[in-house]
Each structure stands twice: as structure tokens, then as C-alpha cells.
Amino acid sequence: MLTREQALTRATDLVVRAVEAGANAADTVYAANASTGVEIRLGALEGVERSESQEIGLRVFVGKGSATASSSDLSDDALAQLVERTVAMARLAPEDQFAGLAPDELISHGPFRDLDIDDGGEAGPEVLRAAALEAEDAARAVSGITNSEGASASAGRSMMALATSAGFSGYSSGSSHGVSASVLAGEGSTMQRDYASHAVRHRSDLDSPALVGLKAGNRAIDRMNPVRLKSGPMTVVYDPRVGASLIGHLVGSITGSGIARKTSFLLDALGTAIFDSGITICDDPWLVRGLRSRAFDGEGLATKPSKLIDKGVLTAWIAESASARQIGIAPTGHASRGISGAPGAGPSNVHMEAGTVTPEALMADIKDGFYVTELIGMGVNGLTGDYSRGASGFRIVNGEIAGAVSEVTIAGNLKDMFRVLIPANDLEFRHAVNVPTIRVDGMTLAGE
């Protein structure tokens, strides 16, 4: 893994070489990763994995044509060949009137905000092994747990450097730490499985492995002896760990590429109320120690916090430069990219602001409902908003969580679901997308 100075120099030099070779414009991404992971099952070591990688990607524009190529060989000869090959490909590429770097006047030149996403530390295999063992031991100690799918612990660091011929040069690095456990309760055909996990930037913020294991064990026990509900209309309440998927469907529908292709069910919704006025959904790339925090985007534009939904109203699309040009807006600082290919668009840390009532109060008037803790499949039509997913969870009877439920399907339309969605006040920041408990009335459940 290169140092910060080496990475920035390598990326900048490659851009200069591409321009000297005939490119009208170019950008380069250097990315490196190093991680260690340990897996335990039934108290025995299942595997230790150490991975390290580094790669550099070059994108060039010749006229209206563009091409990208990458290399894991960073020697001078290899990079010279990379430049030659990529420029030659761009000369032969079909024209794309929307392709190009971000507008010069929007390029960020720093200094960049410190988001504290790198703790600078490492955890060796023995430390990770002890954490995984602790998590699995805690899960297996829960009365009724009969088997284990294993536990794991991991630690890693990543870094990237971006340089463009428009004058941008930026660097970021981040650390990651995680622990998870998955166990089974019961025997034979009655066996039930569940899991728990936690991932953070700083190891000091990580839940204790014992707590993660205890959650996994208790969740598996709670799912024992499930029943199937009868088909019909039903109020559905989403646990926070699955409610975040609704935000994913929203983000997918407001991304510039989908709007440009006219394949979004929210195509004509910009500036209109699609949620109740009590709903605000924020995108915060500046969240300290956030899992998706970033000071600049994949095209060298400055990021900033924004409200995707403000008091129920859809405020903006999210777009990188190419799709922004297609739909006639400025790029929004949401460009995301890998080593190969053109940038796409994606959010950073997203959360739905908390409501005003507790989860208990949110469910108090539900005589017969369904509390979802697991979703299966991806039955969502992005063009129409039609929603249908397999689900498991618990029955709600007279406002109280009752017995486990499995093998049912919940269905509706996202436009209707968004309009009636009600959040509770239990928002916690534990993931890249965070929501409180969410209630959605008027859905359809297919069971017996």
C-alpha cells in the first residue's frame, strides 16, 4: 500500500501522461485495501484470511469518446502501457455527448474536512480469533441454541487517491472493524436461524462480541414455533434493521441515471410531497466516523449534507456529471466509482429523522398486525413502485408483539406506502442507512 504522498503523485502523474499521449481530459483512481478476517464455528477455527490489494484505474476522453482501463502492476512500464492502451481505446470508442469530467468550476480544491474515519490501528489474527470465539460462545450459551453457523471478526484499512486533469487531487483513508454471529435454535424441521452483527470505523466503538452473540442467540430463540398468518389487508411494522430497505428503494428511484432513462416511479415527483409532512430524510457525508462519510465525491466535487426529503417533499435528484447533463441539472456531489468504468451516483450516510412516539405507542392501536424482522427476495418494480417481498417476523396482537411468523409475503405500492409511513422515536446510528421503527398501514399480506 502506497503512502499518501506516493498515491497522490502516482495518480497525478498518470493523468499527465494521458494528456501528453493525446487525451483531451483524464482522471485516475488509486485504491488499496488490506484486511484480516477470522471465522470460528463450534469453537474451532474455520479460517483466517488476509488480503491485500492495490490497483489504479485510468479514464480518458478523446473527443467525445472515452475509455477506462486498470492495472494492479504499478511499475513505470505497466503504467506506460496502460496509458497507451486506454488512449487507443478512447480513439475508437463511440461518441457520447454526455460523457466527461465534472465541470471545472465545481471542482473542489480543499482543504478537506476531517471526518475521523481512520483510527490508524490494526487487529491481528489472535485478537480477532478471541473476538469471534467470544461472540459464538455467548450465542451458544443462550438456552435453546442447538447449533452454530459460525462467528467472525474482521479488521481492515482502505485508501484511495483521485486526480483529474481539471486540477483536482484528493486522498482519503478509512478503517473498518466488525463482528458477527449466526446460530440456530431447535431441532430438525423446527430449526430456526438468526444473526447479529456490528460494523464501525473505530474499534473503540465496536459492540462487545459477547453482546453481539447474545443478540444472535436471543433472536434465534424468539423465532421458534412460527405460524403463518391468514391472507388479507394488514398493518405492517418494520424493525429498524429491515426498515432501511425502504430508504434503499427511495434512493434508487431518485438517482440520475434512472431519471434520465425514465425508469423511475418517481419520475414526475420532484418538488412534490411523497411522504407525510412529518418525514425528513437526510444524506450526511460529513457524519463523523460514518460508514460512508466522504469529504469529496468520485469526481472531485465537494460533498455537503442535504435533505433528500424535507417535511415530506422530494427536494432533489442525486446525480453524477453524465446523468446530470442528461437531465439538465448540475452534478450533486454524489458520484461514486470503482477502479473500472464511469462513475455512478449513490448516497452517503442516510437517515430518516425520528418520529415523536415510542415503538410501543406506534403499535398500541394495532389489533392484528405484522412486525417484520427479515425480508427475502427483491420483488420491487422500480418503474411502477409495486412492492412484494417475502418476510418473517412476529405477529402483533392488541398492540403487543406475539408469536413468530414465517413464510408470508407483504405487498403494496411504494407510493402508497410512503404516503402513510409513520416513524417511531427510536432512531439509532449503527449502519450506513438508519431508520427508526416504521409503521405502514394498508398493506396486503399473503399467507395461508
Side-chain angles (χ1 to χ4, degrees), residues 354-440:
T356 59
V357 299
T358 65
E360 292 77 17
L362 189 72
M363 295 185 283
D365 66 338
I366 301 177
K367 293 183 178 180
D368 190 10
F370 180 37
Y371 185 89
V372 183
T373 60
E374 183 177 22
L375 292 167
I376 305 164
M378 291 299 295
V380 178
N381 188 320
L383 183 61
T384 65
D386 288 337
Y387 177 98
S388 178
R389 298 195 65 178
S392 298
F394 301 90
R395 189 175 182 181
I396 303 172
V397 179
N398 294 324
E400 300 287 339
I401 299 293
V405 173
S406 66
E407 298 182 7
V408 298
T409 299
I410 52 176
N413 184 277
L414 287 169
K415 284 186 178 180
D416 300 329
M417 294 164 64
F418 289 167
R419 272 193 292 267
V420 299
L421 182 152
I422 304 172
N425 67 354
D426 58 337
L427 176 67
E428 293 184 335
F429 289 84
R430 292 180 60 85
H431 310 285
V433 180
N434 297 282
V435 299
T437 301
I438 291 172
R439 171 174 170 164
V440 181

Side-chain angles (χ1 to χ4, degrees), residues 142-156:
V142 174
S143 178
I145 295 299
T146 55
N147 206 339
S148 171
E149 290 189 333
S152 65
S154 63

Side-chain angles (χ1 to χ4, degrees), residues 27-48:
D27 61 8
T28 300
V29 178
Y30 167 83
N33 296 276
S35 64
T36 304
V38 174
E39 296 183 357
I40 296 291
R41 182 172 181 272
L42 298 176
L45 182 66
E46 285 252 304
V48 178

Side-chain angles (χ1 to χ4, degrees), residues 161-184:
L162 172 67
T164 78
S165 58
F168 177 83
S169 178
Y171 167 95
S172 68
S173 65
S175 53
S176 61
H177 303 272
V179 63
S180 66
S182 178
V183 290
L184 300 100

